[in-house]
Structure formats: C-alpha cells, structure tokens
C-alpha cells in the first residue's frame, strides 16, 4: 500500500486536488447528463471540473514558488498547510463556474478557513478535518440566498454530520464523510420533486461525492467503491421518505422549497468576480435577490464571486458596478428550451443548433449582446481575453454551430486559435473578423439561426463588413499619428483603426468624425456611449444627423466602462 499522510498537510492538499480533478474529469459527462436543477442546461459536471481545475492551478503555483525559492538553500520547498489551502480556496473562487461550482468554491473556502487558522493548536488532525467539513457546509449554506434541500447543500451537510460522529484518524473521518454524502445524495430525489420526476439524484451533490471520494483516496491510499448510489435514483425499500434536513443557520434568510419556483424562470445566468467590501456586498445581495433567483455570493476579504439568474442581465451587472469593481463578467442566455426548475418534464436539453459568442468591452454592451441571445466574454480595457476563455465561452453556448465575433482587430489570432480548438471538440465554428463592437451589433442584427449555417455566416459577415467604425478616445502620451503629432490629453478620432482627427473637445471631434464618415454615405448611425462620455454628446450628434442627413437614422446604446469614450458605426 502506498504511504499516506497521517495528518492533513500541504502535500495532502496537493494530492487531493489532483485526484478530485481526475475524478470529476471521469464523471463529467455523467454529471452533465443528470443536471436538471436549478436549470437543465447540462453543464454541472463541466462547471465543477473547471472550478477544481482552477484550484489545482493555484496550488501547483504555490508549490512551484516554494520549490524555486528553496532551490539554492537545500530545503524541501514545500509550502505550509495554510499556504496550500488558501491557494486552493482562492483558485476555486476566481475560477468558479455555474451554481454548483460557486457553491463548491465556498465549501473549499470554508475548509481553508479552519485548516489555515492560526493558534496554539493546528487543525491538521482528524479533529481539524471534522471542524473543517462542518464549517464548510455551514458557510456554503450561508452563501446561498434561499437554500433548497435536495441539492449539494444537503449532501455537504450529510458529509459534515457523518464526519462529526466519526472517531479515528483523518482517513476514518474522510470515509465517514464520503458515506454520509452518499446517503444524503441518495435521499435528494425525495427532497426535491424535480429530481424525483426526472429519476435522478442532484448533479452538484454527485460532484461533491466525487470530490470526497478523492479525499478518501488521499488519506487512505484506497479508492472507495464509487459511488454508493447510482446517478439514476433508486430508493431503498426501507429508506425513510424524507431524511432529516439540517436546519439553516439563524442568520440566513432560508426558504426550503421542494418543488422549486414556478414558471419558466429567468433568461440569463450572470457571473462575475467582484472587488468590494462586506457592507457593499450585503447591499448587493439584497438588490440581486430582488432581480432573480439562484443567487450565490461567495468569498470574502475584499474578493467575491457572484452568481445569479435574472431576466435583466444589465441590471445585475450594474448592481455589481455600484458595489465595487466587477470583472471576468460572463453572461449566458439559457434559451427557450431550458428547463428552469419547473418540474423536470424533459431531460437535460440537447445542444442548440446555433449560437453567437462575442467579445465585448463594457457592461452595457455585454447586456445588449446577451439580450440579443449572444454568449458574451467581457474584456476589460488592457485585459484582452485568452484563447482559453473564448473556448470556454463556445462550450457554454452549448451549440453545434457557433459564430464567433472577436470585435477587436488585435484578437484575430486569439480568436482563430480558440475556433480551431473548439473545432477539435466537434463544434462547427465560423470566425467573423469583426474589428469593433458596432460591427458585431450589425452582424447580430441580421443573424437568423433558422437559415443554413453558411448563408447565415455570409449575411453576418457582409453586414459587419459594410459597417464603418470609429472611436473617440483621449491620448495618454505624445505620439506620431496619421493625422499629425498628438499630445497627452488630446482628443483622438480614430476611423477604421487609424487616427483621422486630433481635437481638444470630445463633442466637436466626434462631430467631425461623424461628418467624415457620412460623407461617403450611410443609412444608420450607431452610437455607443462610454461611462466617461460628456453629457449631451449623443443628443448633439443625433441633432446633427437629423439636420444634415435626412434619410439617416440614429440609435444610441450605453456601453458602460468600455475603453473608448464613444464608439460610432455607420452602415
């Protein structure tokens, strides 16, 4: 038998994370297939895998840092338990995906808070592991606005209850937690009607069982028989109809709802990381709770992961802007065919035939694209997305055919790499080389998913190519341009990517740029205002178009915190 740790140390954390990632990788398709609550979008296994993958990356980075630091000193280069579990929790937090992934991140954070605690007695033994599992279950429950029994929360509580009653070493406690989780998982169909009707156990809970099985293997060297309950629910004849459910903490506004909410449910999933203080996050919880459901806010110490299902994606993001600095914003449109907590009459949805994935700057644009049905990747100014983020967005779109809109000339190689990767996974991807968000808007306006794929792509490409684009921005330093030398603070008007106008006033420069663009003709002007655009610039430009170009229409959108003060499109 291989040597196994007698206490829970940094090496055990590293091993556990690696084994958990492998276990979720093997179970990913099975878990995706039984995902019916809160939304039957068939991605719970994938989301859990990506969450743990981020945790593994963070833990490996800590080990690599310690190994490099000790290379010349002859030391072992092993981090402390506190460093390892904090890295695990932080990695899971910033990489959390979906409802179950966000809750798993909080479970890992709850464990880390106990295992990394400083004091006279380190929590590295069986007693510490029992405390960690209990705190994890309780903190995850507190993170959910309205906990529902029969979900991963019930499975976590079952694991913590069983671990708390176990005597012995860390391996014994881990085995007890695993068996308690399996028993709680088997009971989930009796607690949540949507699971019972679909004949499955909870997908998030099934994922947690896989993670706890990895913990058993880490601490005993033996893989437990997997799992004690099949994913398709089978009730034992002597099992109670409804097992005892742990009471929610008094501090939590809890609603136990066995049937789930009625109706078709919100249209969008919104997820973002948020830098904000505790007071602002308390206000954010209240505001988001009024906007939608499936609200989970996890994290602390100034960094949070926010997950919510809403009809108004823009309002959910704006609430984050008011609370602090949201980033890595992901907005997913569920689509008309999703089952959102309404009884599980259908199995998890098949892939949709076609979807659009777009990169955008600014929360307002992200909301606009999402409302048009696109899956969005939000790029902060100066923080372009990596190809892996675009691949993940293509996967989230859950479609057989995907149209990819990079909306930035500098992203063409990144987008091409992402498209090629997605094609190796069997997804048909067409990359339309849009250079600006206004070209993407034009492409989306003619998108017709019922057309043949090639015809749709040609039409969208033609619309984007027929849209000239410009932006108004402010020079950060002195520079040579196509229009002459600019100084720091000058207003720049860029047309089709090149500086065409240098001015001192935003509105005047924008008018000059617009006149130059319309001199070549046009039927529609699109204006996208950034948060720092001066008051009245849109009204001034609209009036100018009405007076001088009678046959031209104007539409105005608010882009949010985009890189440019103003985007202009003429088509």
């Amino acid at each position: 038998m291989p040597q196994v740790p007698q206490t829970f140390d940094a090496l055990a954390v590293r091993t556990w994370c690696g084994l958990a990632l492998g276990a979720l990788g093997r179970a990913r398709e099975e878990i995706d297939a039984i995902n019916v609550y809160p939304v039957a979008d068939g991605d719970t296994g994938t989301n859990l895998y990506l969450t743990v993958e981020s945790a593994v990356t963070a833990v490996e980075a800590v080990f690599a840092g310690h190994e490099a630091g000790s290379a010349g000193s002859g030391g072992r280069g092993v981090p402390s338990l506190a460093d390892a579990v904090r890295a695990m929790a932080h990695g899971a937090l910033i990489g959390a995906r979906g409802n179950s992934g966000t809750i798993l991140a909080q479970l890992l954070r709850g464990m880390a808070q106990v295992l990394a605690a400083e004091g006279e007695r380190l929590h590295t033994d069986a007693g510490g592991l029992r405390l960690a599992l209990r705190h994890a279950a309780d903190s995850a429950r507190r993170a959910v606005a309205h906990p529902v029994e029969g979900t991963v929360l019930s499975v976590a509580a079952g694991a913590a209850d069983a671990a708390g009653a176990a005597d012995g070493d860390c391996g014994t406690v881990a085995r007890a937690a695993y068996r308690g989780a399996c028993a709680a998982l088997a009971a989930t169909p009796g607690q949540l009607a949507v699971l019972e009707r679909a004949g499955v156990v909870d997908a998030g809970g099934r994922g947690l069982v896989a993670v706890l099985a990895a913990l058993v293997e880490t601490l005993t060297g033996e893989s437990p028989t997997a799992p004690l309950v099949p994913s398709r629910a089978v009730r034992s004849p002597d099992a109670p109809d409804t097992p005892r459910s742990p009471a929610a903490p008094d501090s939590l506004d809890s609603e136990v709802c066995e049937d789930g909410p009625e109706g078709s449910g919100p249209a969008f999933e919104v997820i973002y990381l948020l830098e904000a203080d505790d007071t602002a996050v308390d206000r954010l919880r209240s505001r988001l709770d009024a906007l939608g459901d499936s609200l989970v806010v996890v994290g602390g110490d100034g960094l949070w992961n926010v997950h919510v299902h809403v009809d108004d994606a823009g309002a959910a993001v704006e609430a984050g802007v008011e609370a602090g600095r949201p980033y890595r914003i992901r907005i997913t449109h569920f689509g008309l065919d999703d089952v959102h907590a309404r009884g599980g009459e259908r199995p998890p949805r098949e892939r949709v035939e076609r979807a659009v994935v777009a990169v955008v700057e600014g929360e307002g644009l992200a909301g606009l694209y999402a409302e048009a049905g696109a899956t969005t990747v939000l790029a902060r100014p100066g923080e372009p997305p990596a190809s892996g983020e675009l691949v993940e967005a293509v996967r989230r779109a859950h479609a057989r055919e995907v149209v990819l809109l990079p909306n930035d000339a500098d992203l063409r190689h990144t987008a091409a790499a992402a498209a090629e990767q997605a094609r190796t996974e069997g997804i048909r991807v067409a990359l339309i080389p849009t250079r600006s968000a206004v070209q993407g808007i034009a492409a989306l306006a003619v998108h017709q998913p019922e057309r043949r794929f090639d015809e749709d792509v040609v039409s969208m490409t033609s619309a984007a190519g027929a849209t000239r684009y410009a932006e108004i921005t402010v020079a950060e330093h002195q520079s040579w341009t196509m229009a002459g030398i600019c100084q720091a603070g000058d207003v720049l008007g860029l047309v089709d990517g090149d500086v065409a106008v240098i001015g001192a006033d935003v509105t005047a420069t924008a008018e000059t740029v617009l006149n130059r663009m319309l001199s070549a003709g046009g039927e529609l002007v699109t204006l996208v205002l950034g948060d720092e655009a001066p008051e009245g610039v849109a009204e001034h430009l609209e009036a100018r178009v009405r007076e001088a170009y009678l046959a031209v229409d104007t539409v105005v959108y608010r882009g949010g915190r985009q890189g440019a003060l103003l985007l202009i499109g003429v088509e």
Side-chain angles (χ1 to χ4, degrees), residues 73-273:
S73 63
R76 292 182 60 201
V78 177
S80 67
L81 171 62
D83 287 341
V85 294
R86 285 174 183 147
M88 173 186 71
H90 180 74
L93 176 68
I94 64 174
R97 301 290 192 273
N99 191 69
S100 294
T102 307
I103 293 173
L104 178 61
Q106 187 66 12
L107 287 167
L108 296 179
R109 176 179 170 81
M111 290 189 70
Q113 287 174 324
V114 172
L115 296 172
E118 298 178 357
E120 296 181 1
R121 180 174 174 271
L122 296 177
H123 296 123
T124 61
D125 58 4
L129 184 56
R130 281 193 292 267
L131 287 174
L133 290 166
R134 177 78 269 161
H135 184 64
D138 292 345
S139 64
R141 186 169 286 270
R142 286 192 294 270
V144 178
H146 301 285
V148 174
E149 300 306 334
T151 65
V152 64
L153 296 177
S154 302
V155 177
D161 288 346
D167 291 324
D169 59 11
C170 285
T172 301
V173 172
R175 279 197 186 96
Y178 170 75
R179 291 181 176 273
C182 286
L185 179 64
T188 56
Q191 295 174 293
L192 196 57
V194 63
L195 301 179
E196 188 169 41
R197 284 192 288 266
V200 297
V201 296
D202 179 66
R206 170 65 182 88
L208 180 57
V209 164
V211 171
L212 290 172
L215 180 62
V216 173
E217 185 174 356
T218 298
L219 296 173
T220 68
E222 299 175 350
S223 178
T225 53
L228 297 184
V229 60
S231 297
R232 298 287 165 178
V234 177
R235 180 172 297 199
S236 171
D238 57 355
D241 288 339
T242 305
R244 180 188 65 83
S245 298
D250 291 339
S251 61
L252 181 68
D253 178 15
S254 171
E255 289 183 359
V256 176
C257 176
E258 293 189 356
D259 290 314
E262 295 295 327
S264 60
F268 301 101
E269 177 184 58
V270 179
I271 306 173
Y272 50 80
L273 293 178

Side-chain angles (χ1 to χ4, degrees), residues 388-458:
E389 293 180 71
L390 301 187
V391 173
E392 185 208 327
V394 171
R395 291 172 182 149
R396 280 193 288 122
H398 206 60
R400 296 183 180 88
E401 301 168 341
V402 171
V403 179
L404 181 57
L405 306 176
N407 291 339
D408 185 340
D410 292 336
L411 283 178
R412 61 186 183 278
H413 296 306
T414 301
E420 190 60 34
Q421 173 62 38
R423 290 182 189 119
T424 66
E425 300 177 10
I427 304 171
R428 190 179 184 187
V429 181
L431 171 60
I432 297 179
T434 49
R435 294 182 168 91
S436 170
V438 291
Q439 289 189 323
I441 291 171
L444 264 180
V446 300
H447 170 52
Q448 293 183 21
E450 66 276 7
R451 276 193 300 219
R452 288 180 54 249
F453 185 61
D454 291 340
E455 292 177 356
D456 198 29
V457 170
V458 168

Side-chain angles (χ1 to χ4, degrees), residues 8 49 91 135 188 197-198 213 268 276 283 323 351 369 391 401 469 492-493 531:
F8 203 72
Y49 178 86
H135 184 64
T188 56
R197 284 192 288 266
F268 301 101
R283 292 194 298 268
R351 287 185 179 275
Y369 271 72
V391 173
E401 301 168 341
Y469 64 96
L492 306 180
D531 279 350

Side-chain angles (χ1 to χ4, degrees), residues 4 25 67 144 181 292 363 381 386 425 495:
V4 296
E67 289 167 1
V144 178
E363 300 85 356
E425 300 177 10
V495 178

Side-chain angles (χ1 to χ4, degrees), residues 349-371:
R349 68 177 170 109
E350 296 293 325
R351 287 185 179 275
V352 298
E353 188 61 31
R354 190 174 308 157
V356 176
V357 172
V359 180
V360 294
E361 285 190 358
E363 300 85 356
L365 276 173
L368 173 67
Y369 271 72
E371 287 167 9

Side-chain angles (χ1 to χ4, degrees), residues 65 380 407 449 513 518:
R380 287 287 178 190
N407 291 339
V513 167
L518 286 172

